[in-house]
Amino acid sequence: QKKEEVRISPKASVKQTVGFTNITIDYGRPGVKGRTIWGGLVPYNVVWRAGANEATKITFSTDVKIDGKKLKAGSYSFFAIPTQKTWTLIFNKVADQWGAFEYNDVEDALRVEVTPMQNNCWQEWLAYTISKTSDKKAVVMLEWEKIKVPFNVEVEI
């Protein structure tokens, strides 16, 4: 029997109920480990899996709006195209895929453009948070190194 190895980028998931909608994000947590992340390990202007190993997966139990744009209930792989000024966030209908190697934009369900922010505290391990802002709204935040990248989710009640 092959001994299973400890994952260098541990798996994680975060869940939050907003209204009657369950939001779940499953992802791998890479570490900075002294590396140049933005424009280095994660190149600019290239599709990135927004985590490590398997593509990050985000699931909505009901239809939602992402930054005001409609997205149907279901599971999506979540990708990002970082640039120095703005990021394109991608919800792709092929929910289970390894990295971005098989990524095909024909399967994109939604793309939104967001503005990253400087993070005041150092984030060694990539993390996602889901913060409720009202009964039917939440902000999802990707945080890594000194950058945090938000998008808004709105649900029906």
Side-chain angles (χ1 to χ4, degrees):
Q1 190 176 356
K2 185 174 174 277
K3 183 176 175 283
E4 195 174 358
E5 306 221 350
V6 172
R7 285 173 71 121
I8 295 166
S9 301
K11 279 184 159 179
S13 68
V14 59
K15 292 181 180 181
Q16 175 69 55
T17 301
V18 181
F20 300 110
T21 303
N22 296 315
I23 303 169
T24 308
I25 304 171
D26 297 297
Y27 64 105
R29 298 190 72 190
V32 175
K33 301 175 188 167
R35 300 175 291 188
T36 300
I37 301 302
W38 310 116
L41 182 69
V42 178
Y44 289 125
N45 305 304
V46 175
V47 173
W48 172 53
R49 66 186 102 184
N53 302 316
E54 299 86 355
T56 295
K57 182 159 106 177
I58 186 164
T59 304
F60 303 100
S61 65
T62 69
D63 294 358
V64 296
K65 283 185 180 169
I66 306 293
D67 285 353
K69 295 181 177 179
K70 289 181 180 174
L71 185 65
K72 292 246 176 256
S75 291
Y76 299 90
S77 51
F78 180 69
F79 295 102
I81 303 172
T83 76
Q84 281 166 303
K85 290 195 164 64
T86 61
W87 283 35
T88 301
L89 305 181
I90 302 167
F91 298 83
N92 185 275
K93 290 180 276 197
V94 182
D96 296 298
Q97 49 186 309
W98 180 265
F101 304 108
E102 302 288 320
Y103 168 75
N104 183 344
D105 63 8
V106 170
E107 297 293 336
D108 289 354
L110 180 66
R111 284 181 168 218
V112 294
E113 198 166 284
V114 300
T115 304
M117 304 183 299
Q118 285 295 312
N119 202 347
N120 296 328
C121 57
W122 179 260
Q123 183 69 39
E124 175 68 24
W125 297 93
L126 181 138
Y128 283 90
T129 58
I130 307 169
S131 302
K132 260 182 66 155
T133 55
S134 78
D135 286 344
K136 60 179 204 166
K137 291 183 179 176
V139 175
V140 176
M141 191 82 72
L142 176 163
E143 298 181 53
W144 196 25
E145 197 239 30
K146 294 203 53 104
I147 296 280
K148 51 188 184 178
V149 183
F151 65 88
N152 299 293
V153 179
E154 186 174 352
V155 303
E156 294 287 321
I157 294 187

